[in-house]
Amino acid sequence: MSNIKKNIEEIMRKLPDDVLLVAVTKHRSIEEIEKVLEAGIFDLGENRVQEFREKQEVLPQNIRWHIIGHLQKNKVKYVVGKVFLIHSVDSVELARAIDKESKKKELTTDILIQLNVSGEESKFGLDPNQLDQFLEDISALGNIRIKGLMTIAPNTKNIEDLKDIFTTTRAIYDKIKENVNGVTNIEMTYLSMGMTNDFDVAVESGSNMVRIGSGLFE
Ligand SMILES: *Cc1c(COP(=O)(O)O)cnc(C)c1O
């Protein structure tokens, strides 16, 4: 546990200044999370709504919470207005549910579209071929703002395969960014990709937001 600070320092040294570290704190204790905060990291990622709610209740207000796991529509009400960013929006239905709840609460929720670039069936995420239709379908929703993309690479050590996934995602991100003229609810800012075992490749390939869990706590 005493290594958390050192692990964070080591990772921060490897990250360029313009890459944001989201510390993934799922399954971690409050004591462990306090060490992360002491090291100066206030962006925390959780993948379960229930766990997020329990932790938010007891931890400081200045934390920026990120929902990174699959989100069910019936849980949307527990996160809208309480999180900095939802990384895992992968259907029009979910986007609509977030928009509706945000409207009710009179706010705008920032979201990322999770893309399944590798095509693995076990992974959540929108098929990139459906992205244009998705963007068209959500273009009229006034209470969500698309802030970028998120992807999870396959669990492989093959650097070329990883690069392929990450550079493909970066190219899609750039293309949307170039074409958003006039679409008011799209504001491409974040490309969320890279975890403990692949963040170096992700950053090399153009990520500007990494989600690192196990590497902080080992
Ligand atoms: C758990 C998780 C991470 C962090 O993974 P590590 O390999 O522990 O760094 C990142 N993103 C998502 C979506 C996760 O569920």
Side-chain angles (χ1 to χ4, degrees):
M1 182 159 145
S2 53
N3 281 331
I4 293 173
K5 188 160 180 278
K6 195 171 129 268
N7 292 340
I8 289 178
E9 283 169 0
E10 238 160 69
I11 288 165
M12 292 300 280
R13 227 178 292 128
K14 290 184 194 156
L15 294 178
D17 287 344
D18 57 352
V19 177
L20 184 69
L21 170 62
V22 176
V24 176
T25 48
K26 64 184 184 206
H27 317 316
R28 299 296 167 179
S29 68
I30 297 298
E31 290 71 26
E32 286 174 300
I33 297 174
E34 280 166 349
K35 295 281 178 211
V36 172
L37 302 175
E38 279 167 29
I41 304 298
F42 292 88
D43 284 278
L44 305 186
E46 285 287 335
N47 66 341
R48 301 233 171 151
V49 172
Q50 183 58 31
E51 197 178 329
F52 151 69
R53 293 176 75 201
E54 288 167 12
K55 287 172 174 172
Q56 187 175 47
E57 216 173 282
V58 297
L59 284 161
Q61 300 281 325
N62 58 346
I63 293 169
R64 301 202 300 188
W65 292 97
H66 298 245
I67 295 293
I68 61 174
H70 184 65
L71 179 60
Q72 289 169 316
K73 273 183 291 179
N74 62 355
K75 302 272 175 69
V76 162
K77 57 178 177 289
Y78 300 120
V79 300
V80 164
K82 300 190 177 290
V83 300
F84 176 69
L85 187 63
I86 301 171
H87 292 226
S88 45
V89 178
D90 62 357
S91 73
V92 174
E93 292 72 32
L94 178 58
R96 284 209 181 101
I98 296 169
D99 180 72
K100 191 174 167 200
E101 182 67 20
S102 305
K103 195 166 188 173
K104 196 169 131 192
K105 291 181 176 153
E106 298 180 8
L107 45 83
T108 301
T109 301
D110 287 339
I111 66 172
L112 304 182
I113 305 166
Q114 180 176 352
L115 287 185
N116 182 351
V117 178
S118 63
E120 283 179 292
E121 279 187 23
S122 59
K123 288 214 159 60
F124 290 109
L126 190 75
D127 179 338
N129 292 320
Q130 295 172 347
L131 188 54
D132 287 346
Q133 185 63 47
F134 177 94
L135 291 174
E136 195 179 316
D137 289 345
I138 58 92
S139 63
L141 303 180
N143 291 76
I144 54 170
R145 191 162 41 216
I146 294 177
K147 295 291 285 184
L149 303 178
M150 183 272 248
T151 201
I152 303 173
N155 186 8
T156 171
K157 292 210 155 52
N158 186 315
I159 307 268
E160 291 311 313
D161 289 350
L162 291 172
K163 259 190 200 156
D164 192 40
I165 299 292
F166 292 140
T167 54
T168 300
T169 313
R170 175 71 204 205
I172 297 169
Y173 173 86
D174 287 337
K175 189 166 158 236
I176 300 172
K177 196 168 175 152
E178 280 160 25
N179 292 304
V180 288
N181 303 333
V183 185
T184 50
N185 67 348
I186 303 181
E187 204 175 276
M188 299 304 270
T189 311
Y190 301 120
L191 182 54
S192 169
M193 51 188 200
M195 321 196 320
T196 297
N197 290 328
D198 59 19
F199 77 88
D200 47 347
V201 185
V203 168
E204 247 177 66
S205 311
S207 164
N208 63 21
M209 182 178 263
V210 294
R211 311 175 308 271
I212 300 184
S214 47
L216 306 181
F217 300 100
E218 60 201 11

